[in-house]
């Protein structure tokens, strides 16, 4: 099987699990699933898969070129090589995911995933076709330089994403000692929450050890139930609007804000930069600040402490 088709090959499993979860919640919490939300998620997934397949046509040869000409070592096969590949990629995913919440250019793609006010297994399908443009593929280039083949890189990236499908659920409680090792549904629920307590936390792909090592871990609390979505909600199920709304606002900011430094911040600063910039203007008023387009970003941990402006 072509390794690039791993997620498509697993699609029947994913759809079956969504059906089982929807049946489970049908009488317990009827609002857990919405037909319009689920169809929107599925459409976004198809758009994302199409964009990814086109991107691999360029990216895989690039990884091959790096591997052939610049690798520092040739990694061994077998279980030892796979474990090393898995750990390296999972760490790089943590770096990518954290950057996607702290750099507006990357957030413009990632915001799509956070924009639903529901969290169920179909939310895992809610992805952006703009990830290749944002540069997600760049985060995997160190693996080629270390000495992993393009097939290994693509395969482990997709396996990591496949695992993450199963943590997008409210049906599974905390899992005891696994909470110290893996990204569990409870840990990922906190990541998707817009409560100030949870903003910009729990970036783990598979291993939660990275969050615990680098200070971005927070535990889901029964005293503060998760409220899902972004702080400035975007009330639409239109996949095109969901995909491009932050890119459109970002482009508008680059054109309108004065000075190259501000333009650079509009592109690559933290997602909450726009609100802070508007608030700092002499003529800024509460109504002007509140005119920020829905979903313009996630508050940083520092920003969350200061103002909890965005999500």
């Amino acid at each position: 099987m072509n390794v690039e088709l791993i997620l498509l090959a697993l699609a029947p499993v994913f759809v079956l699990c969504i059906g089982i979860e929807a049946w489970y919640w049908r009488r317990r919490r009827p609002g857990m699933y919405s037909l319009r939300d689920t169809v929107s998620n599925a459409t976004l997934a198809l758009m994302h898969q199409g964009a990814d397949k086109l991107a691999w046509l360029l990216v895989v040869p690039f990884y091959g070129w790096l591997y052939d000409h610049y690798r520092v070592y040739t990694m061994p096969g077998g279980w030892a090589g796979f474990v090393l590949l898995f750990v390296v990629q999972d760490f790089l995913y943590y770096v990518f995911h954290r950057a996607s919440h702290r750099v507006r250019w990357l957030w413009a793609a990632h915001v799509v995933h956070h924009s639903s006010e529901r969290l169920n297994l179909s939310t895992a399908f809610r992805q952006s076709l703009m990830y290749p443009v944002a540069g997600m593929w760049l985060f995997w280039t160190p693996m080629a330089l270390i000495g992993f083949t393009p097939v290994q890189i693509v395969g482990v990236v997709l396996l990591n994403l496949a695992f993450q499908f199963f943590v997008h659920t409210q049906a599974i409680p905390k899992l005891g000692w696994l909470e110290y090792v893996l990204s569990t549904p409870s840990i990922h629920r906190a990541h998707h929450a817009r409560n100030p307590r949870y903003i910009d936390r729990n970036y783990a792909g598979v291993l939660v050890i990275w969050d615990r090592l680098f200070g971005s871990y927070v535990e889901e609390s029964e005293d503060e139930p998760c409220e899902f979505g972004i702080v400035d909600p975007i009330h639409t199920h239109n996949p095109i609007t969901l995909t491009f709304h932050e890119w459109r606002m970002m482009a508008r900011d680059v054109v309108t804000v004065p000075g190259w430094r501000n333009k650079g911040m509009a592109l690559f600063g933290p997602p909450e930069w726009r609100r802070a910039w508007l608030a700092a203007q002499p003529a800024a008023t509460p109504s002007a600040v509140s005119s920020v387009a829905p979903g313009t970003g996630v508050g940083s941990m520092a920003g969350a402490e200061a103002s909890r402006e965005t999500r």
Side-chain angles (χ1 to χ4, degrees):
M1 182 185 73
N2 187 333
V3 70
E4 297 168 24
L5 301 179
I6 287 175
L7 293 183
L8 289 178
L10 289 171
V13 176
F14 297 153
V15 172
L16 176 63
C17 290
I18 289 171
I20 293 172
E21 187 189 46
W23 173 82
Y24 173 83
W25 287 119
R26 186 167 61 91
R27 294 195 179 185
R28 291 173 175 85
R29 289 173 62 181
M32 183 64 69
Y33 273 82
S34 153
L35 179 60
R36 292 182 67 190
D37 189 69
T38 303
V39 169
S40 178
N41 294 342
T43 304
L44 287 163
L46 291 173
M47 292 163 61
H48 167 252
Q49 284 297 299
D52 260 15
K53 297 305 164 286
L54 291 174
W56 289 133
L57 295 176
L58 298 175
V59 171
V60 171
F62 176 67
Y63 292 157
W65 178 75
L66 289 178
Y67 176 82
D68 289 338
H69 297 284
Y70 296 103
R71 72 180 185 273
V72 298
Y73 186 69
T74 300
M75 288 296 167
W79 282 105
F82 175 77
V83 170
L84 183 59
L85 171 68
F86 165 77
V87 172
V88 169
Q89 192 277 328
D90 197 59
F91 170 70
L92 292 174
Y93 178 83
Y94 172 86
V95 174
F96 157 74
H97 197 183
R98 187 162 185 165
S100 292
H101 282 252
R102 302 308 314 128
V103 178
R104 191 181 184 191
W105 177 268
L106 295 168
W107 173 247
H110 192 55
V111 66
V112 179
H113 184 60
H114 282 269
S115 58
S116 177
E117 295 185 330
R118 290 178 168 82
L119 183 75
N120 54 55
L121 288 175
S122 80
T123 308
F125 284 3
R126 196 180 185 95
Q127 303 292 341
S128 174
L129 64 81
M130 294 296 284
Y131 276 127
V133 175
M136 183 179 186
W137 55 274
L138 283 169
F139 288 83
W140 319 138
T141 55
M143 289 187 283
L145 297 173
I146 291 170
F148 293 110
T149 68
V151 170
Q152 289 174 309
I153 295 169
V154 174
V156 76
V157 166
L158 297 181
L159 287 174
N160 190 303
L161 295 176
F163 171 87
Q164 292 182 48
F165 169 84
F166 298 99
V167 300
H168 291 82
T169 181
Q170 298 182 61
I172 298 175
K174 291 183 179 179
L175 297 176
W177 63 269
L178 286 176
E179 303 286 331
Y180 293 92
V181 182
L182 299 178
S183 176
T184 64
S186 173
I187 288 170
H188 203 64
R189 284 193 292 270
H191 174 70
H192 269 265
R194 61 188 175 194
N195 317 47
R197 166 187 170 86
Y198 301 126
I199 285 177
D200 283 2
R201 301 283 186 165
N202 298 357
Y203 301 110
V206 177
L207 299 174
V208 76
I209 58 173
W210 314 120
D211 285 300
R212 293 182 177 275
L213 281 173
F214 299 114
S216 52
Y217 173 77
V218 68
E219 183 178 1
E220 182 184 26
S221 173
E222 294 181 358
D223 296 330
E224 189 168 350
C226 294
E227 299 174 9
F228 301 113
I230 49 181
V231 162
D232 297 305
I234 178 166
H235 298 292
T236 181
H237 295 290
N238 185 317
I240 301 301
T241 303
L242 290 169
T243 297
F244 294 108
H245 74 274
E246 179 66 10
W247 293 97
R248 183 176 64 248
M249 179 59 67
M250 186 167 61
R252 185 184 305 170
D253 287 346
V254 171
V255 171
T256 57
V257 299
W260 288 107
R261 184 180 184 279
N262 284 330
K263 293 180 187 298
M265 291 296 289
L267 286 172
F268 303 112
E272 67 273 13
W273 173 85
R274 185 175 193 269
R275 276 179 176 262
W277 185 84
L278 283 173
Q281 302 313 299
T285 64
S287 61
V289 175
S290 66
S291 69
V292 177
T296 52
V298 180
S300 67
M301 284 183 271
E305 292 295 332
S307 63
R308 307 297 185 187
E309 290 288 4
T310 56
R311 171 61 177 173

